Every structure is written in C-alpha cells, then in structure tokens.
Amino acid sequence: MEAANLLIISDKKICELIKNSGYNSVFTENYDFNISILKEKKINIILCSSNTPNFNIEEISKKLSKKNKNIQLILFADENDNNIKIEAMQAGFYDVLPFSINQKLLQTYLDKALEKYFLITDMKRYSKSLDQFVKERLIQLKKITRSPENI
C-alpha cells in the first residue's frame, strides 16, 4: 500500500501524535488554506479539529471533498459532544475521534481510513475501465449485427 499523505488542520497537539507515524503530513492551524494543496500534495486523509478557529462541519466537508471525494475526513472532538459527532458523520466524515486518543489507536484509524481511500480509488478506476470495455464491445457487437452476412 502507498504511503499516506495527511493534511492536519489543528493545533500542535495532534501533530505530535502523528510525528512518528511514518505518514507524510502538511500542517495548518486554520481552515483558510489554499485548496490546491490537496492535489499538489496528493492528500489522502484530512485530520480536522473542532477547536480550530472558523470551524464549521458542513463548510469544511463541502470545501475539502469538492476537490477529491475519496479523501477521508477525520474529526477530533470532545468525547462528550454527541451533537458534533452526529453532524460530522452526516456530513460524510470517516470518523470522529476524541482528543485524548493514544498514538497506537490513532495509527489504526489512519491505516483503516487509508485502506478505504485506496479501495474507493481502485473501485472507481476499475469501474471506468469496465465502462470503457463495455462501450468497445457494444461497438463491436453493432458492427457484427449490421454486417450483410448477418441479415
């Protein structure tokens, strides 16, 4: 499996958890970043924090998934804030994790999110390839059924 490229939109605490994970990561402390970074850095997973200034789940989900719907969004939030958990899951986030998560458990979540990212990416690629194959076969079938020998 390819290496993950993370975008971390949070405070330094989350970065410390990621530091030794082996993932390539880009860090910003706010949501006012250039969206082109998602494509430039080939971001697979975005880690967001609910305590970051200008935090709005719907806007974040729309802004970030507009460029690449395969990107997995993970939100860090207060363990007891069930409303934000529900809102995030409804907005399409992969999961909502507590700020108190340990590094080993976070690593597991990142690995699973990355696996999902690549499964979706592969599925779309295979689907596109299959569509092309079907189109080619239909063209061949039309040629065969229109030939004078078959009339």
Side-chain angles (χ1 to χ4, degrees):
M1 192 177 304
E2 296 176 41
N5 297 305
L6 309 178
L7 172 62
I8 304 166
I9 308 169
S10 182
D11 55 20
K12 301 279 185 196
K13 182 180 177 191
I14 303 296
C15 284
E16 289 300 314
L17 282 172
I18 303 296
K19 189 192 279 185
N20 298 319
S21 67
Y23 294 128
N24 303 318
S25 56
V26 178
F27 172 75
T28 181
E29 290 184 339
N30 60 57
Y31 292 97
D32 300 325
F33 62 91
N34 188 340
I35 198 79
S36 67
I37 198 169
L38 299 178
K39 190 171 185 175
E40 290 169 15
K41 299 290 184 178
K42 299 179 181 177
I43 299 297
N44 314 103
I45 302 171
I46 298 174
L47 303 173
C48 307
S49 174
S50 63
N51 63 6
T52 304
N54 303 323
F55 177 75
N56 179 309
I57 287 178
E58 269 190 52
E59 285 181 33
I60 293 163
S61 180
K62 286 178 188 174
K63 178 181 180 180
L64 299 178
S65 66
K66 191 179 284 187
K67 282 289 186 185
N68 184 341
K69 294 189 185 305
N70 300 355
I71 292 175
Q72 301 300 298
L73 302 170
I74 297 176
L75 177 66
F76 288 92
D78 182 34
E79 284 181 65
N80 302 318
D81 194 344
N82 289 327
N83 290 333
I84 205 164
K85 291 176 186 177
I86 292 167
E87 195 177 337
M89 297 307 282
Q90 289 174 338
F93 278 71
Y94 173 74
D95 213 332
V96 180
L97 306 176
F99 287 114
S100 60
I101 193 167
N102 67 49
Q103 191 172 15
K104 188 172 183 176
L105 185 55
L106 176 58
Q107 184 78 39
T108 301
Y109 275 99
L110 292 175
D111 290 346
K112 293 295 179 186
L114 184 63
E115 181 179 4
K116 182 178 178 187
Y117 173 88
F118 286 118
L119 284 171
I120 292 169
T121 303
D122 288 348
M123 183 188 70
K124 286 182 178 182
R125 187 171 15 93
Y126 296 145
S127 179
K128 189 175 180 178
S129 175
L130 181 61
D131 287 346
Q132 183 61 36
F133 177 77
V134 169
K135 285 177 187 176
E136 290 169 4
R137 293 297 182 190
L138 283 173
I139 290 169
Q140 289 176 348
L141 184 61
K142 285 178 183 178
K143 287 179 182 177
I144 292 171
T145 56
R146 288 187 182 159
S147 67
E149 307 88 56
N150 296 335
I151 298 179

